Amino acid sequence: MKFIKLSFLLFLLIIVSACSDSSNKRIKVGSEGAYKPFSYVGKDGEIMGYDVDVLRILQEIDSSLDFEFKNAPWNALFLGLDSGRFDLLANQIIKTQEREEKYLFTTQSYFVSTSQFVARSDDETIKSVADLSGKVAGCVVGSAHTKILEDWNAKNGNILEIRYYKDLIPLLQDLVNKRIDVHLNDPASIADIIKEQNLSLKVLDERISQSPVYLVFRKEDSAKALITKIDSAILKAKESGKLSELSMKYFGVDQSK
């Protein structure tokens, strides 16, 4: 009888422990940590930025959400998601047909990314997109803005020569040094880099596109409940004005919706 009671108590302890582990499980978030102001590593070595602060707001709204942030190079983020190193990605990622075939996304977006051309401030030959014929554009391999640039160029008779880069900083250095003429990116991120590095660059007024930004998950049934929970928190963050306030703090404009 004592053995049966002891076995039953041990069984209960295992169940309680499992439930406790499940409820306290940390959600591993993959982010680049090199895309200021959206995701970057601060002086103390902690990852920070707009995307990170969005998830911290979601934690405040729903205490059952417990995020752990891990940074990795852009070209390793989706590999980390595939392998289980990350449970989700938060890195200014928009939906594409290829991505939707392989991954799940939140229904609610948390930022609206725009694509605009950047040129040298002293380049009087480029004042609008009407002046881009025969110019050289630089883009980063794997970036969503690169696909937008390629599609725009094709629709406009391939008026641009496109050169590809692995990283943004060498690209911007080539732009300043007149090795390329323009670059397509989100002005919210480019403006911050221009200010920090004191680059003599300008953003053209025309918006080539605007795209909502989402959190990304592996295409598994186990992710669906988490997505529902996060969607609810994002909606509450929008309705309360918290996301608008955060966007104004970082960019001076509301790009949260």
Side-chain angles (χ1 to χ4, degrees), residues 35-39 48-52 92 111 186 188-189 251:
Y35 190 24
K36 194 172 183 180
F38 301 106
S39 168
M48 55 197 303
Y50 176 83
D51 287 45
V52 175
Q92 289 293 299
F111 185 80
D186 189 325
S189 61
F251 315 114

Side-chain angles (χ1 to χ4, degrees), residues 38 50 92 109-113 186 188 211-213 247 251 255-256:
F38 301 106
Y50 176 83
Q92 289 293 299
S109 66
Y110 64 93
F111 185 80
V112 177
S113 174
D186 189 325
S211 306
V213 170
S247 180
F251 315 114
Q255 287 186 244
S256 66

Side-chain angles (χ1 to χ4, degrees), residues 28-41 47-55 69-78 81 86-95 99 104-106 110-113 140-145 167-168 185-186 189 211-217 251:
K28 296 172 289 186
V29 180
S31 198
E32 189 175 358
Y35 190 24
K36 194 172 183 180
F38 301 106
S39 168
Y40 62 100
V41 178
I47 192 167
M48 55 197 303
Y50 176 83
D51 287 45
V52 175
D53 283 349
V54 167
L55 268 66
F69 300 96
K70 298 176 178 290
N71 61 295
W74 166 255
N75 58 8
L77 285 179
F78 284 95
L81 184 62
F86 310 129
D87 298 312
L88 66 90
L89 301 181
N91 202 82
Q92 289 293 299
I93 298 171
I94 66 173
K95 292 180 180 179
R99 288 172 182 169
L104 296 176
F105 293 77
T106 49
Y110 64 93
F111 185 80
V112 177
S113 174
V140 178
V141 174
S143 167
H145 297 286
D167 299 296
L168 179 61
N185 211 314
D186 189 325
S189 61
S211 306
V213 170
Y214 302 89
L215 301 175
V216 188
F217 306 75
F251 315 114

Side-chain angles (χ1 to χ4, degrees), residues 32-220:
E32 189 175 358
Y35 190 24
K36 194 172 183 180
F38 301 106
S39 168
Y40 62 100
V41 178
K43 293 179 180 179
D44 59 357
E46 293 294 319
I47 192 167
M48 55 197 303
Y50 176 83
D51 287 45
V52 175
D53 283 349
V54 167
L55 268 66
R56 287 179 174 146
I57 287 174
L58 302 186
Q59 285 184 150
E60 294 173 2
I61 292 172
D62 186 340
S63 60
S64 70
L65 297 173
D66 184 13
F67 298 114
E68 177 183 1
F69 300 96
K70 298 176 178 290
N71 61 295
W74 166 255
N75 58 8
L77 285 179
F78 284 95
L79 291 174
L81 184 62
D82 294 340
S83 67
R85 181 186 175 193
F86 310 129
D87 298 312
L88 66 90
L89 301 181
N91 202 82
Q92 289 293 299
I93 298 171
I94 66 173
K95 292 180 180 179
T96 64
Q97 182 177 346
E98 293 81 5
R99 288 172 182 169
E100 286 192 276
E101 287 174 357
K102 189 171 182 180
Y103 301 100
L104 296 176
F105 293 77
T106 49
T107 302
Q108 293 291 325
S109 66
Y110 64 93
F111 185 80
V112 177
S113 174
T114 64
S115 296
Q116 293 170 243
F117 281 105
V118 181
R120 289 183 300 279
S121 298
D122 62 356
D123 191 343
E124 294 299 324
T125 68
I126 301 178
K127 296 180 180 179
S128 73
V129 295
D131 304 319
L132 296 182
S133 181
K135 301 297 183 181
V136 180
C139 61
V140 178
V141 174
S143 167
H145 297 286
T146 295
K147 182 66 166 62
I148 293 168
L149 172 64
E150 291 169 338
D151 289 347
W152 181 89
N153 197 37
K155 289 178 182 177
N156 287 274
N158 292 311
I159 62 172
L160 289 167
E161 176 189 338
I162 300 178
R163 295 180 187 171
Y164 295 87
Y165 292 75
K166 291 182 179 179
D167 299 296
L168 179 61
I169 299 304
L171 183 158
L172 293 178
Q173 290 172 347
D174 276 5
L175 179 55
V176 170
N177 293 324
K178 302 182 180 181
R179 296 188 183 97
I180 59 175
D181 302 303
V182 290
H183 169 57
L184 189 72
N185 211 314
D186 189 325
S189 61
I190 292 299
D192 191 79
I193 296 173
I194 291 172
K195 181 179 178 181
E196 277 211 346
Q197 300 193 18
N198 196 27
L199 302 178
S200 183
L201 300 174
K202 62 185 178 183
V203 178
L204 304 189
D205 290 335
E206 295 96 336
R207 288 188 174 186
I208 303 306
S209 74
Q210 56 182 43
S211 306
V213 170
Y214 302 89
L215 301 175
V216 188
F217 306 75
R218 282 187 301 281
K219 196 170 247 187
E220 298 175 351

